[in-house]
Amino acid sequence: MIDDRHASAVAIVGMSGRFPGAGNLDEFWENLRTGTGSVTDFSPEELVADGADPAEVAKDAYIPAKGVLSGADRFDADLFGFSPRDAELLDPQHRLLLECAWSALEDAGYDPRAVPDLTGVYVGGGLTDHAVAVLSDPRLHRERGRTQLALLTDRDTLASWISFRLGLGGPSIAVSTACSTSLTAVHMAVQSLLLGECDIAVAGGVGIDTPARRGYLHQEGGIASADGRCRPFDADSSGTVAGNGVGLVVLRRHEDALRAGDRVHCLIRGSAVTNDGSAKIGFTAPGTAGQVAAITQALDTAQVAPREIQYVEMHGTGTALGDEIEVSAITEAFGGSAGTPQWCGIGSVKSNIGHLDTAAGVAGLLKTVLMLKNRQFVPTVNFTAPNPALGLDATPFHVVDRTGPWPRPDGGARLAGVSSIGMGGTNVHMVLEEAPDQEERSATGDRPELLVLSALTERGLTAAGEALAARLEQADGVPLSDIAHTLRRGRAELETRGYVVANGRTDAARRLRSLTPSPARTAAAPVLVLADPSTPRPGAGAELYATFAAFREAFGDCAKHLSDRHGIDLEPPAAHHREPGTVRDRHTALFGLAYATARLWSDWGIAPSVTVGHGIGEYVAAVTSGLLSLHDALDLVVTRADLIARTEPGRMVTVGLPASGTAPLLADGMALAAVLGPRACVVSGPIRAMDEFTAGLTAAGTRWTAGEERHALNSPCMDPVLDEFEAKVAGIRFGTPSGTQVSGVDGARVAAGRMATAGYWRDHLRGTLRLGDAIEAAGRISDGALLWIGGGPAGAPLPDRPCHTVFGEAGEASGTLAALGALWAAGHPVTWSVPPSGFRRAHLPGYVFDGRSYGAYRLFEHDGGGPAVESEPADPAEEKGQDADPVRAQVVELLIDTLGVGPDEFGLSFIAAGGDSMGSVHLVSRIEDALGVEVPVALLLTGDSLDELATQIAELKNRPAQDPLIEDLLLEVQAEG
């Protein structure tokens, strides 16, 4: 239940960031907590190696310092579907935002490629050297065209690439307000949520001027620091230092977050954006009135009094004018300064990481959220004494200069403000509140849980397992069931997969460190074997009943009908041993257990490629296929049991001999009841004959096992009741079955018409059941693994494929989950059900990106410029080999040059190799310029491989002219399939 104060609050449910000295938010928090400054000083050699002008570096005024973001040139292009050539051209800001958006959604507990609600994107970035260099390169213009280059580098497409690659259908807006860009983006996302324009929003920003190490020339009176350090509010402050970084938050309306089971990092109570207008001394100067308006409006929206705020994360650039105006503005907004004790802390993350330009606001936001989550103040580094020009002694504010606890106010909550001020006058202020206490969820004891992980590569999967294991070893109190559910429903399903079944966090961490990778492939659906163990083992089904709601519901459906129609009390399976009871009791229990297990698999979306039934299991198979209704099947099972009970007592034993060796041993009245496999048969007959038979087996040293059935099914003992049973079946209305059925009676694929006859079910009670033959037949029909329900199989039924026993053996809950994990890892789609006890998404380690360096293009006046990439592309002719046809060789060169593909990728189509409709237009234009031949755009979109396209385009050069309209129509028809 949400109180009135939080009715319009927006929850931060996910977040992600990379900053100088911190590749993730855990490292960022550790640096904040320990007061670590992450601005780096460079040697002249490092700067020159990264392309700096040696003459400039040698100047006395050159300051060799920056907040460098490690790995800013790397990108996991395969994960996002970019070709190597496009990844090289894609601006580093786009690359980092894509990866950060993926991580933020994962942190929120959502599959980045399948967010269930309408999701908007509000992000911004700055102008980069890479974009300028790419758009200024005549060679790239010739190869790709200006429009294509702009799409890959322009700030206007930052949001759209995220929406496109992740399939997000809400508003997608690129924001640009200079230094306040990223906090403005968050504000706009909040407003969009409150207006109902989207249900989830990804918001924040990125600032990467260049991934290179770079310093700057200090100018007296400018905004850049004289000593390479940012010292906000400090007596020795002299300006700011540049830094690079990226940060995003995932937002939801608070009530929606609670309803969806999201874990809330923090609440945004209110926010506001203003502009200084002309009320300042110059365009780049800050203005007091605009900042005051932003703060007071945000407080009013949040319905929070200034005295309730305990901390404000300031813009805090360390410049003389900026800090002075900002302190003056917030003092005025908070109600003046006369006689005010310094009850509110202030700080600036720029002291740690430098000024991140368009990402500065979100960096301050994330710092404050982490402080609220961890209930700690963290220091403003480089601070020694307050700048006397600020007059802090006469304000409500003091600079936080050490790590310490953030106590919760009596009767209130921890509240904070965050400010961001853009050059040009756009001011943003946001009021945050710590996440309200959420009821702790208790662990589910020793119940097994299935944890699934996936990645593009084995190395990525191993890294993901290690990261999750490390998190599980932390004592955060999150139940393993919530972790398992988040992994199943909140992660993308990628090509390399692994799973573990574990009891508790410690067991899970141990198993995750030895994860076995499995390449997901398009595998055949499983073969479902519904076997008949005659009498289930003691406690069979008890774990499944206790663990899975779908099993309990299906078993309950059987129990209700049996109670209402037949007065049979089908008790839930229990862990303790019970006597077998009557034939009714045994057979209805067998049916209920097998049916509930089959329904459980159906609830997970596992549809078998082939179904094999045996004994009571064939009645269950008839229900799952639609041949019989559940009620009709149960009625038949009860009637059948009552008729069997009227026959003379008998016995059934399993013999370790082939059918050919067993049949000669049978006396009158006995029968070969079932052939289970090459060396396993069931013999049935009257008690006296069976006693003599088993005595002979013992004397011969032949292995045999007695069943608990007290009647001789599938033997002449059934003859007296066959007519009555057949008449009962004849009154049943059969349905039309779906799927492929292999008969346990015939041992082969069976037509629906054969099973929908009374004679078939008469044979099922009296004839020899052929389970072994049926499994072999199913194996010839399908390549799928076996799902074996009811009594473990004898040996390996199909030696060339896995057999998962999912009911009838000890540890059945773990075994069932392991079977489910194995099918998922092999590539079978699974419908992950919501836990019946509810769940809360867990904040877990995200995808471990496994990209490579794609460098960044640069322009340098001193050396002629050019792209700074990890390695220059090989000569196209060398990559593809010399082509005997010079025209075709030229086409190959153009394809390689345009798409950036290698020689092993010419089996891909134009689209699969990274081309698109706009790129196809540009490519045909280049071909026409180079070869003087008109190539229809439709030719590139037919799906033919690049090899085939090269041949076809070369042939166009010498083909006799024909009507171009007919040519285009033919190619369009081909493209349409």
Side-chain angles (χ1 to χ4, degrees), residues 419-458:
S419 286
S420 191
I421 300 164
M423 189 174 287
T426 299
N427 312 292
V428 193
H429 192 78
M430 199 160 283
V431 178
L432 307 183
E433 180 179 328
E434 65 180 331
D437 292 335
Q438 291 180 277
E439 182 181 351
E440 289 298 324
R441 288 173 43 75
S442 58
T444 52
D446 292 331
R447 191 175 79 183
E449 295 289 350
L450 171 64
L451 281 67
V452 298
L453 290 173
S454 69
L456 287 183
T457 64
E458 290 190 10

Side-chain angles (χ1 to χ4, degrees), residues 12-19 23-26 28 96-108 202-205 245-250 265 362-363 366 370 846-847 849:
I12 297 177
V13 298
M15 52 188 187
S16 176
R18 301 183 198 176
F19 301 107
N24 55 55
L25 292 186
D26 287 340
F28 184 47
L96 287 170
L97 266 183
L98 281 163
E99 291 188 352
C100 198
W102 184 287
S103 296
L105 287 166
E106 283 193 324
D107 182 65
V202 179
V246 55
L248 292 172
V249 292
V250 178
H265 287 294
V362 76
L366 290 171
L370 290 170
Y847 186 79
F849 298 103

Side-chain angles (χ1 to χ4, degrees), residues 457-492:
T457 64
E458 290 190 10
R459 182 170 63 179
L461 186 70
T462 300
E466 181 61 39
L468 182 57
R471 176 62 61 87
L472 289 173
E473 289 169 343
Q474 300 173 5
D476 59 8
V478 179
L480 188 61
S481 57
D482 283 358
I483 292 169
H485 178 77
T486 302
L487 292 172
R488 293 193 295 261
R489 292 172 65 96
R491 294 294 184 266

Side-chain angles (χ1 to χ4, degrees), residues 643-667:
L643 292 173
I644 290 170
R646 284 166 34 192
T647 63
E648 68 171 297
R651 291 176 62 193
M652 303 180 74
V653 300
T654 302
V655 183
L657 291 173
S660 59
T662 304
L665 305 178
L666 304 184

Side-chain angles (χ1 to χ4, degrees), residues 369-531:
V369 174
L370 290 170
M371 289 169 60
L372 288 166
K373 274 176 61 74
N374 291 282
R375 301 173 181 178
Q376 280 187 300
F377 291 116
V378 298
T380 299
V381 302
N382 306 320
F383 182 82
T384 54
N387 183 348
L390 305 181
L392 286 173
D393 288 345
T395 73
F397 308 105
H398 64 92
V399 178
V400 178
D401 61 356
R402 67 195 63 191
T403 300
W406 185 338
R408 187 171 191 171
D410 293 339
R414 297 175 181 87
L415 290 160
V418 182
S419 286
S420 191
I421 300 164
M423 189 174 287
T426 299
N427 312 292
V428 193
H429 192 78
M430 199 160 283
V431 178
L432 307 183
E433 180 179 328
E434 65 180 331
D437 292 335
Q438 291 180 277
E439 182 181 351
E440 289 298 324
R441 288 173 43 75
S442 58
T444 52
D446 292 331
R447 191 175 79 183
E449 295 289 350
L450 171 64
L451 281 67
V452 298
L453 290 173
S454 69
L456 287 183
T457 64
E458 290 190 10
R459 182 170 63 179
L461 186 70
T462 300
E466 181 61 39
L468 182 57
R471 176 62 61 87
L472 289 173
E473 289 169 343
Q474 300 173 5
D476 59 8
V478 179
L480 188 61
S481 57
D482 283 358
I483 292 169
H485 178 77
T486 302
L487 292 172
R488 293 193 295 261
R489 292 172 65 96
R491 294 294 184 266
E493 297 182 338
L494 303 173
E495 287 80 353
T496 302
R497 301 183 181 183
Y499 70 94
V500 300
V501 177
N503 290 282
R505 293 169 64 114
T506 301
D507 183 38
R510 177 180 60 82
R511 294 178 184 274
L512 284 166
R513 287 198 164 95
S514 56
L515 206 59
T516 302
S518 174
R521 58 192 184 279
T522 305
V527 174
L528 182 65
V529 181
L530 290 152

Side-chain angles (χ1 to χ4, degrees), residues 77 114 126 129 208 218 268 314 437 506 573 610 654 706 735 830 922 948:
D129 286 3
I208 309 290
H218 172 69
I268 298 176
M314 308 279 276
D437 292 335
T506 301
V610 183
T654 302
V830 173
H922 181 72
E948 293 166 338

